[in-house]
Amino acid sequence: MSWRNDKKGKKTPYQGDRRSFGEYECSQCSRTWKSANSFANFGQMCQTCNTMVYAHTMKPLERPEGLDEIDPEKSHPKHLCELCRRGYNKCVAK
Ligand SMILES: [Zn+2]
Ligand SMILES: [Zn+2]
């Protein structure tokens, strides 16, 4: 199951409250990345060109303990995350 970005006027394909696994593609430099801290209508900054990017695809995270498998090396890039930059406390703190 996944949510696709086919609704006009929404920033992200998923509109619920839960943390999701998001896939991002920067419209300026075409960099792509994935994040397990993806939330409805919040973007992440492209670390190459500082463009705010919203997930084009979001999938439900069934098992939060699975986060480490997705991104075992890096901690959550708070300086790139719109939620963290605004002071929300939803993302995984590492
Ligand atoms: Zn970029
Ligand atoms: Zn965050």
Side-chain angles (χ1 to χ4, degrees), residues 37 44 76-78 81-85 91-92:
N37 283 289
Q44 294 191 3
H76 178 56
K78 293 191 167 195
C81 172
E82 187 178 10
L83 273 160
C84 291
R85 289 163 66 99
C91 298
V92 175

Side-chain angles (χ1 to χ4, degrees), residues 71-88:
D71 199 353
E73 309 271 314
K74 297 179 218 159
S75 60
H76 178 56
K78 293 191 167 195
H79 60 295
L80 300 172
C81 172
E82 187 178 10
L83 273 160
C84 291
R85 289 163 66 99
R86 292 191 186 190
Y88 288 80

